[in-house]
Amino acid sequence: MKKIVYADNAATTPVSPQVLEALLPYYKSEYGNPSSVYSLAQQARAAVDDARKKVADALHAQPNEIYFTSCGTEADNWALKGTMRRLAQKGKRHLLTTNIEHHAILHSCAALEKEGFEITYLPVDTYGQIDPAQVEQAIREDTGLVSIMYANNEIGTILPISEIGAICRQKGVLFHTDAVQAVGNVPIDVVAQNIDMLSLSGHKLNAPKGIGALYLRKGVVIDTFMDGGSQERGRRAGTENVAGIVALGTAIAYATQHLDERIAHETALRDRCIQSLLQIPHTRLNGDPVRRLPGNVNVSFEGIEGESMLMMLDMHGICASSGSACTSGSLDPSHVLLAIGLPHEVAHGSLRLSWGVQNTMEEVEYVLETLPPIIQRLRSMSPLWEKITAGENN
Ligand SMILES: *Cc1c(COP(=O)(O)O)cnc(C)c1O
């Protein structure tokens, strides 16, 4: 069997054995609808309640502040559209965000702009960082919501969420953070960090796809997004994804219980990988070198086309991702890499390796043996590389 090295945990993660074991009964014998009265259904209800407590505990929130959704994208859509549509009644029509958010945020913003809302996209620096002072200065009289991601999915930069939270609370503006990449990888405390709303997703932390959650601080009222039955205390209708919810609860509890080990393990893989890849000439690290997700490696190799690199890595069983054009289905490279100031051709040569709990140092070493000859081969065929190196050897 061909060996697979999965280094794309920022795209999705494998379901861990303990999560699979916890969720399976809900696809077999425990199939009751949590809204029904008999004991079979009440067991499902109890499982949902237990998972809600686990999610709340992981964030230092209360169980009645957690709303299960179908994914991280839904939580982001709900937070932004639900808040702005509600606040419009109070004349607050301005939303503040950044230019490196996930498309779940950016495209929700675009939809809100069509409805007449005003959005400010704060520019980031070359590390993908926001200075909290930028947020403070950009908050206006009519600002209803600040939405800034906890950690970036492409370049791994961790943003100054506590500082931004304090500013928003002091200014009386609601604060939402897309923490899909951060949950399970960094310690989070919604109370200490003054976070009013937070989005998370199961499949980025070893639970299956199709389950997410929105933390909504008690007292914050936003419009409902899904109308229907009275599930999720009447605020998010639809029969609960019981197996998914149980899986999310199990995964988040496991990740937070083992957070220190997890961070230490992923950081070791990441640092070994970055240190070795930067030995390759004409290579740069993208994202913040220090305030960075433990498993995230993002480098640009000059004179390389991302797609060709990904295809050659795939032939060696390595799963990775790139910020270059075709990967994203458009002609432009990743908006995040352009936002940190990379020229188009350097952005096209980017490689993201995102390491997870299940990865090993042997897998990292395998990538580090496999990649340099691929870079060398692609560069030897690249007219761009000839131009870059012209004059270096004479
Ligand atoms: C994956 C991701 C999302 C979307 O989550 P889904 O559950 O896949 O919809 C949103 N934001 C960030 C930062 C992500 O990495």
Side-chain angles (χ1 to χ4, degrees):
M1 209 175 85
K2 192 169 141 192
K3 173 161 139 186
I4 290 282
V5 171
Y6 186 75
D8 204 15
N9 290 274
T12 195
T13 56
V15 173
S16 65
Q18 68 273 14
V19 168
L20 185 64
E21 197 185 329
L23 75 79
L24 276 179
Y26 297 90
Y27 281 139
K28 290 179 175 169
S29 49
E30 305 291 325
Y31 48 78
N33 183 326
S35 298
S36 303
V37 294
Y38 34 80
S39 46
L40 177 75
Q42 287 312 302
Q43 282 159 19
R45 162 64 48 212
V48 169
D49 290 345
D50 175 61
R52 194 185 309 283
K53 181 165 185 332
K54 287 178 171 145
V55 175
D57 286 348
L59 304 174
H60 297 260
Q62 298 302 317
N64 63 5
E65 296 174 315
I66 303 300
Y67 297 85
F68 292 112
T69 62
S70 65
C71 57
T73 300
E74 185 192 327
D76 283 344
N77 270 263
W78 184 20
L80 268 56
K81 294 173 182 172
T83 304
M84 294 314 290
R85 287 171 187 164
R86 168 67 56 141
L87 289 179
Q89 302 159 8
K90 294 186 185 168
K92 297 208 184 269
R93 306 189 62 86
H94 178 238
L95 188 159
L96 195 58
T97 185
T98 77
N99 61 355
I100 57 160
E101 300 294 316
H102 189 273
H103 283 134
I105 295 291
L106 292 179
H107 291 170
S108 292
C109 287
L112 286 168
E113 279 180 303
K114 283 198 184 141
E115 292 177 29
F117 291 96
E118 257 189 86
I119 320 278
T120 300
Y121 301 91
L122 293 174
V124 295
D125 70 12
T126 53
Y127 284 167
Q129 282 293 356
I130 287 285
D131 179 350
Q134 282 173 274
V135 177
E136 185 153 27
Q137 281 152 20
I139 290 176
R140 318 191 310 208
E141 200 65 14
D142 63 342
T143 306
L145 177 66
V146 172
S147 178
I148 293 182
M149 71 195 324
Y150 206 116
N152 185 268
N153 46 303
E154 292 188 39
I155 56 174
T157 298
I158 298 173
L159 286 94
I161 293 307
S162 303
E163 289 81 351
I164 295 169
I167 289 167
C168 292
R169 188 60 55 88
Q170 187 237 327
K171 293 248 183 190
V173 175
L174 291 174
F175 177 43
H176 166 257
T177 184
D178 173 345
V180 171
Q181 291 289 332
V183 173
N185 285 313
V186 293
I188 297 180
D189 183 332
V190 290
V191 178
Q193 296 179 288
N194 292 302
I195 297 168
D196 297 304
M197 285 170 256
L198 177 147
S199 305
L200 62 93
S201 175
H203 76 103
K204 304 286 174 76
L205 64 140
N206 307 101
K209 293 148 193 73
I211 183 68
L214 180 68
Y215 152 77
L216 189 56
R217 185 168 61 79
K218 194 166 187 290
V220 176
V221 181
I222 68 176
D223 279 7
T224 56
F225 192 62
M226 298 268 282
D227 296 308
S230 61
Q231 293 91 355
E232 300 298 288
R233 297 160 321 281
R235 295 174 94 172
R236 198 284 187 182
T239 300
E240 297 87 342
N241 172 1
V242 178
I245 289 170
V246 168
L248 175 58
T250 309
I252 205 168
Y254 187 85
T256 34
Q257 275 156 22
H258 299 86
L259 191 60
D260 293 343
E261 288 155 65
R262 196 178 165 107
I263 291 173
H265 176 68
E266 291 178 13
T267 303
L269 303 182
R270 176 196 75 188
D271 290 351
R272 165 70 186 131
C273 198
I274 291 175
Q275 169 263 331
S276 173
L277 292 179
L278 290 182
Q279 308 290 316
I280 299 172
H282 291 272
T283 300
R284 56 160 284 166
L285 177 68
N286 299 319
D288 196 310
V290 180
R291 290 167 293 175
R292 186 178 194 96
L293 284 174
N296 177 284
V297 177
N298 190 314
V299 288
S300 284
F301 304 105
E302 282 183 55
I304 295 282
E305 246 308 304
E307 280 80 47
S308 323
M309 180 169 44
L310 292 188
M311 281 192 290
M312 290 180 75
L313 285 170
D314 185 36
M315 290 194 294
H316 291 87
I318 298 168
C319 309
S321 109
S322 167
S324 77
C326 304
T327 333
S328 59
S330 81
L331 281 179
D332 287 326
S334 132
H335 66 284
V336 176
L337 297 178
L338 295 182
I340 60 170
L342 290 197
H344 276 240
E345 68 277 12
V346 180
H348 279 302
S350 76
L351 175 70
R352 179 186 71 187
L353 296 163
S354 42
W355 300 105
V357 262
Q358 78 286 356
N359 290 119
T360 63
M361 195 58 94
E362 287 68 41
E363 291 179 310
V364 172
E365 296 300 343
Y366 173 69
V367 171
L368 295 177
E369 279 160 31
T370 312
L371 189 56
I374 292 177
I375 303 291
Q376 204 170 18
R377 172 130 181 260
L378 289 173
R379 279 178 171 172
S380 72
M381 305 187 298
S382 156
L384 190 62
W385 179 245
E386 254 176 58
K387 259 208 242 162
I388 293 164
T389 52
E392 274 187 8
N393 302 319
N394 51 35

